[in-house]
């Protein structure tokens, strides 16, 4: 099992990263330590009950018998959904997060999977690590989380992946709700369905995922902003993602999410996202939205 030692201070014991494969159980005290770690890191974390889940491959950074860092991934088809990253505030800037990311990436490689994950846009630290490991941006969703980092704050997320996304038609329409997050997602397959969407006044995050044939229609609808491409796991197909410009979206835009500079061009757009889209003739390349992207 892979381990990696990292120095957490100029002098003193090193931390060791340990891998806990899916199917293995963590000791009760370890699960409690991990829960405490996330309570110290976030204002309100939405997945406490899943931190010790045996369905996930988990990684712990341990120093002097204490867990100071944690990360995990969950397998969905050909994707490794990377999630649940936290490092104790007193052990940051010493390589713990990078060692966790590298250990997680090695496990993903052994399994022959492609990484998919999100980075909170409070800082660019997580984005920088993902970039170092070869991941690129696929979408930016304003206000996906509420109250997670700070009470009353709408936090935006940048989705990153190793895949080369190509948008496909929605074959199975659905409504996906995440009540704890206040998130609603519509997977829409026909123009007639677009016309029958319920009153779009949700106070939380709301988006519509469509195929190339419907993208132009939504691109010209002022109620929506183009967010990029997304794959609603556990499904395996990428679709165009359009976010409703409601109060949650506007509040998150006002928070000025932080983006890694190399992922923005001079007009404030995502250079690499536009390159992904331009490879597909049926893709819609978004118009500039400088006021929403610049930070």
């Amino acid at each position: 099992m892979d381990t990696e030692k990292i120095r957490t201070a100029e002098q003193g014991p090193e931390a060791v990263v340990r891998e806990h494969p899916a199917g293995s159980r963590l000791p009760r005290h370890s699960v409690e330590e991990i829960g405490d770690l996330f309570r110290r890191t976030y204002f309100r974390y939405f997945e406490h009950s899943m931190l010790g889940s045996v369905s996930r491959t988990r990684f712990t950074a341990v120093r002097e018998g204490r867990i100071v860092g944690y990360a995990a991934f969950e397998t969905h088809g050909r994707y490794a959904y990377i999630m649940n990253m936290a490092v104790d505030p007193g052990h940051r800037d010493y390589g713990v997060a990078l060692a966790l990311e590298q250990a997680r990436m090695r496990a993903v490689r052994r399994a022959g999977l492609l990484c998919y994950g999100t980075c909170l846009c409070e800082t660019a630290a997580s984005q920088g690590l993902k970039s170092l490991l070869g991941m690129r941006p696929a979408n930016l969703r304003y206000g996906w989380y509420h109250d997670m980092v700070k009470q009353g704050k709408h936090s935006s997320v940048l989705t990153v992946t190793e895949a080369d996304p190509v948008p496909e038609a929605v074959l199975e329409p659905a409504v996906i709700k995440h009540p704890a997050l206040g998130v609603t997602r519509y997977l829409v397959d026909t123009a007639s369905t677009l016309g029958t969407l319920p009153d779009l006044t949700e106070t939380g995050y709301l988006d519509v995922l469509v195929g190339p044939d419907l993208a132009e229609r939504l691109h010209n609808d002022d109620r929506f902003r183009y967010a990029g491409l997304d794959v609603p796991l556990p499904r395996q197909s990428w679709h165009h993602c359009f976010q409703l410009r409601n109060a949650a979206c506007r509040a998150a835009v006002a928070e000025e999410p932080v983006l890694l500079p190399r992922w923005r061009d001079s007009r404030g757009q995502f250079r690499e996202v536009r390159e992904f889209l331009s490879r597909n003739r049926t893709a819609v390349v978004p118009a500039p939205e400088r006021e929403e992207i610049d930070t």
Side-chain angles (χ1 to χ4, degrees), residues 28 116-117 120 125 150 172 186 189-190 197 218 226 238 251 266 274 289 294:
R28 185 184 189 89
Y116 167 96
L120 284 168
K150 184 179 179 181
E172 298 180 27
Y186 291 94
D189 60 341
T190 65
L197 289 177
L218 278 177
Y226 186 66
W238 291 82
S266 60
R274 290 190 297 111
E289 292 194 43
D294 277 352

Side-chain angles (χ1 to χ4, degrees), residues 25 46 118 167:
R25 293 192 177 277
F46 297 92
T118 57

Side-chain angles (χ1 to χ4, degrees), residues 4-64:
E4 176 143 353
K5 293 183 178 180
I6 62 266
R7 180 70 65 179
T8 58
E10 291 184 6
Q11 301 293 328
E14 293 172 319
V16 175
V17 174
R18 297 172 178 163
E19 180 182 338
H20 309 273
S24 64
R25 293 192 177 277
L26 291 171
R28 185 184 189 89
H29 68 86
S30 295
V31 176
E32 292 173 352
E33 282 188 45
I34 293 165
D36 288 340
L37 171 63
F38 277 79
R39 278 185 281 272
R40 292 194 301 273
T41 304
Y42 298 96
F43 174 75
R44 182 162 70 100
Y45 200 71
F46 297 92
E47 279 210 320
H48 273 290
S49 62
M50 295 297 291
L51 290 176
S53 173
V54 298
S55 68
R56 300 175 178 180
T57 300
R58 294 136 295 160
F59 304 85
T60 54
V62 180
R63 180 172 183 252
E64 295 182 328

Side-chain angles (χ1 to χ4, degrees), residues 167-171 187-194 209-220 229 238-240 242 280-284:
E168 300 179 38
V170 173
L171 299 180
L187 277 66
V188 176
D189 60 341
T190 65
S192 60
T193 303
L194 275 179
L209 298 169
V210 298
D213 57 331
L214 297 180
E216 187 66 40
R217 177 166 174 166
L218 278 177
H219 188 60
N220 293 323
L229 297 178
W238 291 82
H239 310 299
H240 291 286
F242 291 84
N280 189 292
R281 294 179 182 177
T282 59
V284 176

